[in-house]
Amino acid sequence: MTAPAAAAIPEPGVIQLPRPVFGDAGGWAAVMERAGNCCECTGQCGATHRKTDGRCDHQHGGYGGKGAPPIRLEVAPEDPTMPEHEAARVTLDQLRAWCPGCRAGAAKKAKPPRKRSAPPQEEALF
């Protein structure tokens, strides 16, 4: 009887990241290479990014802020409101690298504003 294979122990200092949501790891790597490991937002999030010539300067693994973890870029569709079941079928040229802040801002900005309903009118009893 053979012993089961031992689980691979990660090297110290290596952080295991979850699998990318869209595509495979090769697709993620291709999009990140095209983007230069930098967020590809050019104002879709609502920010002007004016200090960096109109493009977000967040880099994958870069400084996330005091007490925050490093920035982890996501590869997601250009349209941040696209449902995941449709996004699973997009091609690499329809994907872009997003930092979490820009993707959340772009999704919020792309959604139509909520309509506020008028308060219910009380009907006269008599």
Side-chain angles (χ1 to χ4, degrees):
M1 187 173 223
T2 60
I9 299 172
E11 297 178 26
V14 175
I15 300 171
Q16 297 294 328
L17 299 176
R19 270 187 81 166
V21 176
F22 304 105
D24 58 3
W28 186 88
V31 171
M32 292 303 286
E33 182 179 333
R34 179 192 73 210
N37 286 329
C38 191
C39 179
E40 292 183 292
C41 179
T42 55
Q44 295 86 350
C45 64
T48 60
H49 302 299
R50 62 183 163 86
K51 292 182 180 179
T52 55
D53 295 328
R55 182 174 171 185
C56 179
D57 65 340
H58 287 155
Q59 293 190 353
H60 185 68
Y63 181 65
K66 184 176 179 181
I71 296 169
R72 299 291 179 213
L73 295 184
E74 308 168 4
V75 172
E78 292 174 340
D79 177 11
T81 60
M82 182 181 288
E84 286 188 14
H85 69 279
E86 291 177 16
R89 293 182 284 228
V90 299
T91 60
L92 288 177
D93 59 328
Q94 296 171 324
L95 294 172
R96 81 172 31 197
W98 293 94
C99 71
C102 286
R103 184 169 181 216
K108 184 177 180 180
K109 188 177 173 189
K111 288 183 182 178
R114 289 179 46 188
K115 294 181 182 178
R116 293 188 176 195
S117 60
Q121 297 291 331
E122 293 185 22
E123 295 183 23
L125 295 175
F126 302 101

